Amino acid sequence: MTDHIHIAVTHPNGVKHFTLCPTRKKVVQTLALVLLALLTVTFASLYFLSARSTEAEAAVERLRDERAALNAELAVLQQKRDELTATIENKDVELTALTQRVVTVEDMLGLNSVAKDASLTHRLDVAAINSAVRYTMLQLIPNGKPIESYRRSSGFGSRTHPVTGKAKFHMGLDLTADKGTPVYAPADGVVEYVRPSRKKGYGNFVKIDHAFGFMTLYAHLDKFNVRSGQFVKKGDLIAWSGNTGLSTGPHLHYEVRFLGRALDPRRFIKWSPENFDTLLEKEKRVGWGHLVSVVENLVETQVQVANMPDPEPPLSTAQQREADLDVTPTNVSM
């Protein structure tokens, strides 16, 4: 048996015969193996690249989805940013307006000593306390008109009495008004006494004790709307003006006293939030500085109490009983 390989190749012009010797045979076989190996590697590479390409496409698709989600989230964040920007701008406008209002209130309250570079919270606290002090004083100390409409007929001070004709110090104001004109309390207080007397002296009159030693008196009344010991608030109807007692015509005799000393009621009638300092400057017989300090301490205490956290609710009877029963032997003293 020969080791030669005979190859016949048919073509249109005939048949050609090739003979391979063993050496060529080995070369051909080697080339065939190399070619097969290359084809195998090529197909394997193509398969691997195809798989990687599929994974890459899937990764690209995921990235696209993530990008779309991030774009949507970014749009939402941009919208929120725009909303927050608008809110901040509105708050800036509100803060500017609030600061201007604080400045206006400070000017009205005369708080020129408050540093303008202090925090707005501090300035608000100071203004609030000062406003509360003024409100408290105007609520507890007589101020404003005891009757809505009147014509002052006789002022405070020395005068000749219109009935007796004798010189006498007039301790109040005579406010001319029609009989039956409502009379209102100028501050919170308690009615010390109500005295009916149709023909003598003050006639029907009411005396009200207010805070810090102040008192008001209302004379020549027609009828009463309060009784002794009754607490009244500023603006409460207490009586109706009349012409009782030693009087030449319908009017209200109105007095304001401090520790029993008569003060000029005109200053208290004109006293209001708009001219708060006027009375304190003109009425020298009252120690306003100490009084204001007392009211400030009262208001600051109220503010501190209001800002305190709510206390723990007390244990109910059942809870307390359970707590008393829950005693370990180590806590029991012999």
Side-chain angles (χ1 to χ4, degrees), residues 9 256 274 315:
V9 178
V256 177
E274 291 73 26
L315 289 174

Side-chain angles (χ1 to χ4, degrees), residues 232-251:
V232 294
K233 294 190 299 183
K234 177 180 173 65
D236 283 352
L237 175 65
I238 59 174
W240 291 267
S241 65
N243 191 31
T244 59
L246 220 60
S247 172
T248 58
H251 72 285

Side-chain angles (χ1 to χ4, degrees), residues 108-125:
M108 291 176 59
L109 297 177
L111 300 177
N112 298 324
S113 60
V114 180
K116 300 303 179 183
D117 57 349
S119 68
L120 186 59
T121 301
H122 173 71
R123 293 170 63 185
L124 283 172
D125 288 342

Side-chain angles (χ1 to χ4, degrees), residues 123-161:
R123 293 170 63 185
L124 283 172
D125 288 342
V126 173
I129 290 175
N130 195 280
S131 298
V133 168
R134 296 186 178 212
Y135 171 82
T136 301
M137 293 180 65
L138 290 170
Q139 190 71 23
L140 301 179
I141 300 173
N143 63 92
K145 298 182 293 185
I147 56 178
E148 290 294 337
S149 179
Y150 62 87
R151 178 178 59 85
R152 182 170 62 84
S153 59
S154 184
F156 175 81
S158 299
R159 68 164 186 173
T160 299
H161 196 282

Side-chain angles (χ1 to χ4, degrees), residues 59-72:
V60 169
E61 190 65 26
R62 286 196 302 271
L63 291 175
R64 287 174 181 171
D65 294 339
E66 291 177 2
R67 183 183 66 179
L70 290 174
N71 288 335

Side-chain angles (χ1 to χ4, degrees), residues 168-294:
K168 187 177 181 181
F169 190 87
H170 192 219
M171 294 192 296
L173 289 180
D174 287 341
L175 308 175
T176 301
D178 295 334
K179 180 181 178 180
T181 300
V183 180
Y184 302 99
D188 296 354
V190 58
V191 179
E192 182 177 348
Y193 53 77
V194 174
R195 192 184 76 178
S197 176
R198 286 284 171 180
K199 298 181 179 180
K200 296 181 180 180
Y202 281 163
N204 294 334
F205 80 93
V206 172
K207 180 180 178 183
I208 299 179
D209 289 328
H210 303 284
F212 309 115
F214 289 91
M215 179 274 290
T216 52
L217 187 145
Y218 315 81
H220 308 299
L221 300 170
D222 182 53
K223 294 186 297 183
F224 307 109
N225 193 49
V226 291
R227 62 185 182 278
S228 296
Q230 178 179 340
F231 289 90
V232 294
K233 294 190 299 183
K234 177 180 173 65
D236 283 352
L237 175 65
I238 59 174
W240 291 267
S241 65
N243 191 31
T244 59
L246 220 60
S247 172
T248 58
H251 72 285
L252 171 69
H253 175 80
Y254 176 57
E255 294 183 13
V256 177
R257 298 184 185 182
F258 175 67
L259 300 179
R261 294 178 297 178
L263 306 177
D264 189 349
R266 290 174 298 182
R267 295 171 178 171
F268 290 84
I269 288 176
K270 295 178 181 179
W271 195 30
S272 67
E274 291 73 26
N275 58 356
F276 185 85
D277 295 332
T278 303
L279 177 66
L280 280 63
E281 294 170 356
K282 292 185 176 181
E283 186 50 74
K284 304 297 185 181
R285 286 178 288 182
V286 178
W288 295 110
H290 295 295
L291 195 155
V292 170
S293 297
V294 169

